Amino acid sequence: MTQLRPNDPAQYDDLADQWWDASGGFAALHWLATSRAEHIPPARDPGAVLVDLACGGGLMGPHVARLGFRHVGVDLGLQGLRVAREHGVLPVRGSVLAVPLADGCADVVVAGEILEHVEDDVGVLAECARVLRPGGTLVLDSLAATRIGRFLTTTVAERLPGGPPPGIHDPALYVDRARLLAAADDLGLELRLVGLRPSFRDAVAWRLGRRQSVRMKPVRSTAVVFAGYGRRR
Ligand SMILES: C[S@@+](CC[C@H](N)C(=O)[O-])C[C@H]1O[C@@H](n2cnc3c(N)ncnc32)[C@H](O)[C@@H]1O
């Protein structure tokens, strides 16, 4: 593998064969995809659209199909989009900072584990608000710009099974939650943040090969991994 700088999106091309390996480098993204899906209401009609910003390898695919949406995935990575298409995603190559989709086209927008990968997280939130129809649902998750968050999600988690591939994160890009909430309000989004952590019991069972996946549990503190659940006014 070529040596790439932290957070270089090209890392995902090198890791493309791991997207659907539930015990590989993207294991925790499988757990988060399940958690996200629990906060998405079923499609209200067969044409309903879910836009998955930074869809990667399309791990939301089975969940979105079960909920009855047309699943549009936007990502920069061609390898990821190719994998996502194999899992029912309509792939669109583009940046989450300039999404090539029409205003108000989405009934649901999902932005999973992307805000901490861009220089302009509020710019991504603005794109979420733009493509979401009034009353539409927003589900996001990301990593908090705190000392404990940086320590646990890089220094610790990169050394643990199920943790992120080393160098995939640049902790300098982690998200300021107060700024995000203020921006959401300005953008016409009602947004509440909830902390998430993996179930420790599940994680042990998963590591021992006794579970396929690990449940994400809501926690009061949003200082490490957090989800955002909202709607456009
Ligand atoms: C941590 S992965 C998350 C993938 C997916 N949301 C999930 O949770 O399984 C981050 C994804 O963001 C994509 N990405 C990074 N910067 C991007 C940008 N500016 N525009 C679109 N996609 C981007 C990468 O290619 C990668 O697929």
Side-chain angles (χ1 to χ4, degrees), residues 7-13 19 26 28-30 32-33 36 52-60 74-78 80-81 92-99 110-119 124 141 168-169:
N7 193 51
D8 190 325
Q11 292 185 59
Y12 295 97
D13 288 341
W19 279 113
F26 295 131
L29 294 181
H30 288 254
L32 283 163
R36 271 170 222 147
D52 187 355
L53 295 183
C55 65
L59 302 188
M60 291 295 295
V74 179
D75 204 288
L76 281 179
L78 280 179
L81 288 171
V92 174
R93 189 168 195 217
S95 170
V96 292
L97 289 161
V99 177
V110 172
E113 299 302 300
I114 179 61
L115 299 180
E116 76 278 20
H117 288 285
V118 294
E119 301 276 351
V124 179
D141 42 74
I168 208 92
H169 289 125

Side-chain angles (χ1 to χ4, degrees), residues 51 53 96 99 104-106 108-112 114-115 121-133 137-140 187 189 232:
V51 171
L53 295 183
V96 292
V99 177
C105 67
V108 177
V109 171
V110 172
I114 179 61
L115 299 180
D121 49 12
V122 167
V124 179
L125 197 66
E127 284 296 81
C128 293
R130 183 184 68 74
V131 298
L132 202 53
R133 69 162 168 78
T137 299
L138 173 65
V139 176
L140 58 83
L187 291 163
L189 296 167
R232 189 177 152 199

